[in-house]
Amino acid sequence: MFLIVVDTLRAERLGLAGHPRPVSPNVDALAEESVVFSEARAVAAWTKPTVASILTGYAPRQHGALRYDEGLRPVPTLATRLRSAGWLAHAVVANPFL
């Protein structure tokens, strides 16, 4: 299982969402074999609380990562739940808010 989060990418700029030029052939090929959520919406206007909600399943006020200087409250994350189920969880990250 993979969870790919791309910050600030407009869906309509991808071939899988109808862009006429072949600008995203690798993403398009992966999407053909994957679950794609075409109606997903962010829970906040910026990255940190939104990604924290993706990784916890909690709303920003519940997980606490609302402002730049705030971290997660002690809530379970996707990684800890997967680890408890025997999965190996690993992250490759380039954005400090992730």
Side-chain angles (χ1 to χ4, degrees), residues 33-84:
E33 302 176 21
S34 303
V35 175
V36 176
F37 297 92
S38 60
E39 294 296 324
R41 299 288 183 257
V43 297
W46 68 295
T47 304
K48 186 175 183 177
T50 299
V51 173
S53 290
I54 291 170
L55 297 178
T56 65
Y58 289 101
R61 289 194 176 160
Q62 293 171 301
H63 61 60
L66 292 164
R67 297 193 318 244
Y68 183 84
D69 60 344
E70 293 177 321
L72 283 177
R73 292 185 182 133
V75 296
T77 65
L78 178 61
T80 58
R81 290 174 190 248
L82 289 173
R83 187 176 309 137
S84 294

Side-chain angles (χ1 to χ4, degrees), residues 12-30:
E12 67 268 14
R13 301 299 293 176
L14 299 172
L16 69 104
H19 194 279
R21 292 184 293 147
V23 294
S24 56
N26 294 327
V27 172
D28 300 339
L30 180 62

